[in-house]
Amino acid sequence: MTGFARSLRLWFAPGRIGDEGETPDYRFSLANERTFLAWIRTALALVGGGFAVDQFLPDLRWGVRIGLSVALLAAGALCALRAVNHWVRCELAMRRGEDLPVSGFPTLLSLAVGLVAVVMLIIVLLGRAG
Amino acid sequence: MPASAAGPADPVPDRDPGLQPERTRLAWRRTTLACTVVAVLAARQAIRGGGTAAASVAVAVVALVWLGFLAVAHRRVRALDTVRPRALPLSGAVATAVCTVLLALCAVAVMR
């Protein structure tokens, strides 16, 4: 958690990234940027999914629809913030010549998305049956 | 082709052999497209309940967020148009994430 606090400080003092260590090969920075953008697209897809649940499933009960929608939107927002945090940590690690940070977030996110998918499947099947 | 099309000893070649700046530029384009889709869904959501004043405000906010994202992406795409571009500035990364979070907040605000 101290690592998170440190990188959070860096968010608000961007000049300090450049103070750390030495500039890595530009290709590594660009690869890190593309990974960041892939996470942002994941976040945007989750936010879009939240919109889609709210707009295209009007037959769901209000609570279920809003619950699913808010869960997807929250996951999207979390994913976007975490994308910046991870990008900063990777950039710092590369500048200092350390190992890249590992993270359990991808596992967590895939479990959450899988859970939402199963819930949706059950809802659709029950809707057909009922 | 600039005049630097010399041999392999040239320290700065005409282009990156792995096309890294191009790939990064295309990644920005894809992300902009994804953002556009979400912005369209957000606008659709806002005007679904009829053209009330709140709906107009929501559409305006969504349009502003989308334009903000477009501006960040455009600046970065311009900056990538060199052989060895500098790393993405932190402000660009934060602005991108903030646009995404704002779109999610718009969704919650116009939810019904």
Side-chain angles (χ1 to χ4, degrees), chain A residues 47 51 73-74 77, chain B residues 61 98-111:
Chain A
V47 172
F51 276 120
L73 291 168
Chain B
V61 169
V98 164
C99 284
T100 311
V101 172
L102 280 179
L103 282 173
L105 286 179
C106 281
V108 174
V110 296
M111 201 170 274

Side-chain angles (χ1 to χ4, degrees), chain B residues 22-110:
Chain B
E22 281 81 354
R23 282 159 64 191
T24 312
R25 207 159 59 217
L26 289 173
W28 275 103
R29 296 256 187 256
R30 286 198 295 280
T31 313
T32 310
L33 270 177
C35 183
T36 307
V37 171
V38 173
V40 167
L41 275 176
R44 185 181 183 274
Q45 174 113 338
I47 59 175
R48 218 162 39 129
T52 58
S56 318
V57 171
V59 170
V61 169
V62 167
L64 274 180
V65 171
W66 183 71
L67 283 175
F69 190 97
L70 216 60
V72 173
H74 185 69
R75 272 192 62 171
R76 185 58 187 155
V77 164
R78 292 283 297 275
L80 284 168
D81 198 16
T82 57
V83 178
R84 292 195 177 168
R86 297 169 62 82
L88 172 71
L90 182 69
S91 54
V94 171
T96 311
V98 164
C99 284
T100 311
V101 172
L102 280 179
L103 282 173
L105 286 179
C106 281
V108 174
V110 296

